[in-house]
Amino acid sequence: MEIRKKATQILKSLFGNGAEFRAGQYEAIEAVFLNKRTLVVQKTGWGKSLVYFTATKLFREIGQGVTLVISPLLVLMENQIEAAQKLNLKCDALNSTTKARRADILNDIKSNKLDMVFVTPETLFAEDVQKAIKDIRIGLFVIDEAHCISDWGHDFRLEYGNLYKVIRMMPTNVPILATTATANDRVVNDLKKQLGGNVFVSRGPLTRESLAIQVVKLKDRADRYTWLKLNINKLPGSGIIYCLTTRDCKYISEFLNLNGISAMPYHADLSVEENELALRNFERNEIKAIVATIKLGMGYDKGDIGFVVHFQMPSNIVSYYQQIGRAGRNITLAYAILMTGQEDEDIIDYFIEDAFPKREECDKILRVLQGGGASKYKISSHVNARSSRINKALSFLENEGAIYYEKGNYYLTANKYTYNEEHYKEITEIRIREKEQMKQLIAHNGCLSKFIVNCLDDYTAEDCGKCANCLHQDLVESEIRLADKEEALKFINSLTIPITPRLRWAQTSLRDRGAINLVNKVGICLSKYGDAGYGALVKRDKYSDNDFCEELIARSTVVLQEVIKENGIRSLTYVPSLRSDKVERFAKKLAERLHIKCEEFLQKSEAEQQKTMQNSEHQCYNAQASFDVRVGVHLPKKVILVDDIVDSKWTMTVCGYKLMEHGVEEVYPFALADSGQR
């Protein structure tokens, strides 16, 4: 077969007779076809998927086996399948959404009915898939977004980290291709080592000529909301607003819609149907913006995205480059707007600190398992760490081969485990340096595009002539006037957070995980701790010498008046503290405004501070040991239960339960702020 001629025919069948390969594309296809280990590091929009589409077409025509593509995101898979089908490639996917069809898909692969199958790394290592792979004839093995393999990469994933085992097991006659747009020299060298053998590297310039970049420095959340309201409709076409949290996706979408700007959220907490609808409307340009977490990130391909706005600063340059690369693929000019302010570093630091389990967390888990198998609940009752950290540590230890999971319990393996603290510290230090690099970008006075690609070890770039720094003026106005903020502040301050009741006890030495038979009503939380508006006031007053301010009392009164009226409530009580009477004083002032009684129904015994308890098992046990109903009090049928801060909701749950145990019929929780990491 004349490879170039055949590959060119495939290209023209897809893009028309005038189509030509971009620089480096054919060479990468040839390397794959000649069974070289191949690494493609090319800018977003270059056409990395075309390399393995074309190679698959060539291989299938000479009777080779199926192409397996390891891909990290469901939306990326959907994009790729749609593109591959234009080449008449028969494709399917193995992921969480196709679990019900998994056996049929595996049978189709075994019987050679499929040309290409996209697989998430999590699904690849599922027991049934691993068993089936032994009987599958693989023609090409592709690792898309290959920087995820490298723990030096910006988005290292434990499941991706296991792929080196698959690479080592792959027969030498199976070509392996790894692709990424975001690998600096350190990551490239690591990927070459992991791919093994003589690796052909296709690496090109990373500058995206269509992108015009601007940094917008804003002091608080209300300023950011205001900027979006004033400027989103000035940006061309439709675009993406990236947020670090799902909560921001939800609220920003609501705010924009209230102000006549069509937007929909897209994130992991929404149903598959809700995300599909948002994506469908976005792809049809029926909404101005899709407000998304990085779930809509790597590899997503919509050619006419006119802008990408970051509501917060990403944690590193490579993530930022990856995300702004969604814009301007098939248009000559698109905007990348980076908003930044005080809260960004707190969120990023949280993610950096949370990246690896601590040595003591791992040691405690391993000690629990020395007594035999243990469920996650039993482990949590012995290890005072957040559930998310315990889950991370369990995945980490399982990945390291120290433990295994079987029939609901975790067990020790026979392997000797060593916590590689120096390596994890080194990676954490790199993450901190990457954050500093983002701060340097924000402060940079020169070309922003050139700075970004230089950080990716591409020094071929020249000044772009399009960014705000090159033009010495804003691409989009950045000044926020106080009068413009009124709508944003009004919206933020109207956002009460429901305190949803807990329905099952945590497993503790006092209780099993049974249903809670006396359950609070859905309560009200006034704000998110630290947010602009009321959340900022709570944070200011919480540890000051002053009482909670008049604004918080007035707003709490307005919020609770309707609850009292609708439910005929005549009494209010509060969560007592041994260290401060600030909540008591607030509750008394609030009751006076509401024209109801403030009564001392609860008492607190000496115990650990609840805020030092890190997971449900410890929080539940500590709350149960801390609070009781006072002897001899006359309890009403209905009561509002007041606290300043709500986090795990166990204090409210236990206090409400004990009040109802003693005759109260309905308990309505109220708190000034939610400080949870949820």
Side-chain angles (χ1 to χ4, degrees):
M1 176 191 289
E2 191 179 334
I3 304 171
R4 181 181 284 274
K5 182 179 178 182
K6 191 63 183 172
T8 303
Q9 287 174 353
I10 293 169
L11 177 74
K12 291 181 185 299
S13 72
L14 192 59
F15 297 110
N17 288 331
E20 295 181 355
F21 285 113
R22 288 176 174 149
Q25 275 182 330
Y26 170 72
E27 289 75 13
I29 293 165
E30 184 181 63
V32 171
F33 192 77
L34 296 176
N35 194 19
K36 294 180 181 177
R37 302 275 165 114
T38 305
L39 172 61
V40 173
V41 183
Q42 296 285 357
K43 63 186 175 185
T44 54
W46 176 83
K48 294 177 285 296
S49 57
L50 182 66
V51 173
Y52 52 85
F53 291 165
T54 306
T56 298
K57 194 80 173 169
L58 293 170
F59 281 137
R60 294 297 282 172
E61 288 186 6
I62 60 171
Q64 296 284 65
V66 66
T67 293
L68 281 187
V69 183
I70 311 305
S71 183
L73 299 174
L74 302 188
V75 67
L76 175 54
M77 285 187 178
E78 291 161 12
N79 265 183
Q80 291 170 321
I81 288 174
E82 189 178 326
Q85 285 171 342
K86 292 175 183 176
L87 275 173
N88 294 320
L89 290 170
K90 294 176 182 175
C91 305
D92 214 324
L94 288 168
N95 58 44
S96 58
T97 68
T98 62
K99 196 167 184 178
R101 297 195 296 115
R102 187 181 290 177
D104 292 335
I105 296 169
L106 290 171
N107 284 331
D108 285 347
I109 300 170
K110 290 177 188 176
S111 57
N112 205 33
K113 291 179 181 177
L114 294 172
D115 301 312
M116 183 178 291
V117 178
F118 296 87
V119 191
T120 59
E122 293 84 355
T123 303
L124 178 68
F125 289 103
E127 189 176 345
D128 56 339
V129 177
Q130 282 290 298
K131 186 177 178 181
I133 277 180
K134 295 172 184 175
D135 300 320
I136 290 171
R137 193 162 59 91
I138 299 173
L140 171 61
F141 187 70
V142 180
I143 304 166
D144 203 5
E145 307 301 347
H147 56 271
C148 298
I149 297 178
S150 173
D151 51 9
W152 305 114
H154 74 279
D155 191 33
F156 175 67
R157 287 166 62 165
L158 287 176
E159 296 83 2
Y160 254 79
N162 270 323
L163 289 176
Y164 76 92
K165 300 173 186 175
V166 178
I167 292 170
R168 288 177 185 173
M169 291 165 52
M170 203 63 66
T172 55
N173 64 338
V174 175
I176 297 174
L177 167 66
T179 71
T180 181
T182 48
N184 56 21
D185 288 345
R186 182 176 59 246
V187 175
V188 167
N189 290 333
D190 187 39
L191 291 175
K192 285 166 67 177
K193 189 185 300 181
Q194 293 208 43
L195 289 172
N198 184 20
V199 179
F200 175 85
V201 179
S202 171
R203 194 173 185 184
L206 299 178
T207 301
R208 288 289 309 281
E209 291 82 1
S210 63
L211 291 181
I213 305 169
Q214 178 180 337
V215 174
V216 179
K217 298 173 186 175
L218 299 167
K219 69 176 184 179
D220 61 27
R221 183 171 295 265
D223 277 359
R224 300 186 201 210
Y225 274 62
T226 304
W227 189 94
L228 291 170
K229 174 194 164 190
L230 295 175
N231 293 297
I232 285 295
N233 274 338
K234 297 176 184 176
L235 297 171
S238 59
I240 304 171
I241 301 171
Y242 277 117
C243 303
L244 292 179
T245 71
T246 59
R247 182 173 63 96
D248 284 324
C249 294
K250 170 183 165 60
Y251 290 157
I252 289 167
S253 301
E254 288 178 11
F255 178 72
L256 292 177
N257 282 298
L258 284 171
N259 285 278
I261 301 166
S262 56
M264 294 182 76
Y266 182 96
H267 54 76
D269 289 348
L270 294 173
S271 68
V272 172
E273 293 74 22
E274 287 172 312
N275 279 330
E276 284 178 351
L277 178 61
L279 210 54
R280 190 159 59 245
N281 287 345
F282 180 55
E283 287 170 351
R284 293 172 179 171
N285 293 321
E286 292 174 358
I287 53 176
K288 181 67 179 178
I290 189 165
V291 189
T293 59
I294 57 169
K295 180 178 171 65
L296 185 70
M298 294 182 287
Y300 176 68
D301 187 8
K302 180 179 184 289
D304 62 346
I305 293 175
F307 62 90
V308 167
V309 173
H310 280 81
F311 187 70
Q312 294 110 342
M313 177 181 80
S315 59
N316 54 68
I317 290 286
V318 286
S319 292
Y320 184 59
Y321 174 82
Q322 180 77 255
Q323 289 155 23
I324 63 175
R326 303 310 105 217
R329 290 188 166 214
N330 295 336
I331 54 179
T332 55
L333 179 64
Y335 291 84
I337 308 295
L338 172 58
M339 287 199 264
T340 182
Q342 295 171 350
E343 69 169 13
D344 296 1
E345 280 197 70
D346 291 340
I347 300 173
I348 291 167
D349 288 344
Y350 170 78
F351 286 129
I352 291 173
E353 290 163 13
D354 212 44
F356 292 103
K358 292 181 170 59
R359 180 195 290 271
E360 54 267 31
E361 291 168 346
C362 292
D363 289 346
K364 285 176 182 175
I365 290 171
L366 294 174
R367 278 199 295 273
V368 172
L369 297 182
Q370 283 173 359
S375 67
K376 190 180 294 182
Y377 301 121
K378 182 179 178 182
I379 292 167
S380 295
S381 68
H382 286 79
V383 180
N384 185 19
R386 292 196 315 273
S387 295
S388 61
R389 291 202 62 82
I390 289 174
N391 291 339
K392 185 181 287 289
L394 289 169
S395 296
F396 179 83
L397 289 168
E398 197 171 2
N399 183 70
E400 293 289 307
I403 65 175
Y404 68 96
Y405 181 77
E406 186 175 275
K407 296 179 180 177
N409 286 318
Y410 289 90
Y411 299 88
L412 293 175
T413 67
N415 300 329
K416 184 181 178 183
Y417 168 68
T418 303
Y419 186 86
N420 194 350
E421 187 164 14
E422 288 304 311
H423 183 61
Y424 309 143
K425 278 184 178 177
E426 193 175 355
I427 295 170
T428 300
E429 286 165 6
I430 287 171
R431 299 289 182 265
I432 293 168
R433 290 200 296 272
E434 288 174 340
K435 182 190 73 174
E436 292 304 311
Q437 210 171 44
M438 278 303 300
K439 291 167 67 177
Q440 290 167 19
L441 170 68
I442 287 162
H444 189 58
N445 293 320
C447 176
L448 296 170
S449 176
K450 183 177 179 179
F451 181 92
I452 290 166
V453 297
N454 283 174
C455 290
L456 294 169
D457 295 323
D458 172 11
Y459 298 99
T460 65
E462 298 180 355
D463 289 357
C464 71
K466 289 184 176 180
C467 72
N469 287 1
C470 283
L471 296 175
H472 305 292
Q473 64 181 33
D474 284 348
L475 307 174
V476 185
E477 187 178 354
S478 59
E479 185 182 348
I480 301 296
R481 291 173 288 274
L482 185 60
D484 295 326
K485 290 177 65 171
E486 288 182 13
E487 284 293 323
L489 282 168
K490 183 179 176 183
F491 174 80
I492 290 169
N493 285 333
S494 73
L495 294 172
T496 57
I497 300 168
I499 305 175
T500 52
R502 285 190 173 273
L503 301 177
R504 300 188 72 81
W505 293 111
Q507 183 173 321
T508 71
S509 59
L510 299 181
R511 296 192 182 274
D512 61 21
R513 283 186 56 80
I516 300 174
N517 61 329
L518 299 171
V519 176
N520 290 338
K521 296 294 184 182
V522 174
I524 299 172
C525 184
L526 195 63
S527 65
K528 190 72 180 175
Y529 187 75
D531 271 5
Y534 298 124
L537 295 179
V538 178
K539 184 177 182 180
R540 182 196 69 188
D541 293 348
K542 168 73 174 170
Y543 297 106
S544 74
D545 294 332
N546 303 318
D547 285 353
F548 288 113
C549 66
E550 169 60 28
E551 279 184 81
L552 292 172
I553 297 169
R555 179 60 183 165
S556 301
T557 303
V558 170
V559 167
L560 286 173
Q561 276 174 337
E562 197 66 30
V563 178
I564 288 170
K565 183 179 176 182
E566 283 183 6
N567 298 285
I569 300 169
R570 296 289 175 263
S571 292
L572 172 154
T573 192
Y574 56 89
V575 175
S577 169
L578 298 178
R579 293 169 179 82
S580 168
D581 60 354
K582 185 175 282 194
V583 172
E584 179 184 352
R585 297 197 303 272
F586 169 73
K588 287 177 177 176
K589 290 178 183 178
L590 182 58
E592 185 179 342
R593 295 286 181 89
L594 291 167
H595 306 294
I596 61 176
K597 291 186 288 185
C598 177
E599 302 185 76
E600 195 174 354
F601 294 144
L602 296 161
Q603 63 184 17
K604 191 175 191 304
S605 56
E606 283 289 349
E608 296 289 334
Q609 284 186 276
Q610 186 72 352
K611 67 182 181 181
T612 66
M613 302 295 108
Q614 296 296 311
N615 63 46
S616 272
E617 283 66 27
H618 284 76
Q619 289 156 347
C620 179
Y621 178 84
N622 196 60
Q624 288 166 352
S626 298
F627 299 101
D628 276 302
V629 174
R630 287 181 173 275
V631 176
V633 294
H634 177 71
L635 295 170
K637 296 298 182 186
K638 300 178 180 181
V639 67
I640 291 172
L641 175 62
V642 174
D643 204 355
D644 54 354
I645 307 293
V646 64
D647 183 349
S648 69
K649 299 184 288 190
W650 277 118
T651 295
M652 289 289 199
T653 299
V654 169
C655 288
Y657 181 86
K658 293 194 173 187
L659 287 168
M660 285 183 277
E661 252 189 336
H662 286 76
V664 175
E665 293 177 1
E666 295 177 2
V667 176
Y668 295 82
F670 176 80
L672 287 172
D674 179 344
S675 65
Q677 299 286 2
R678 299 178 301 282

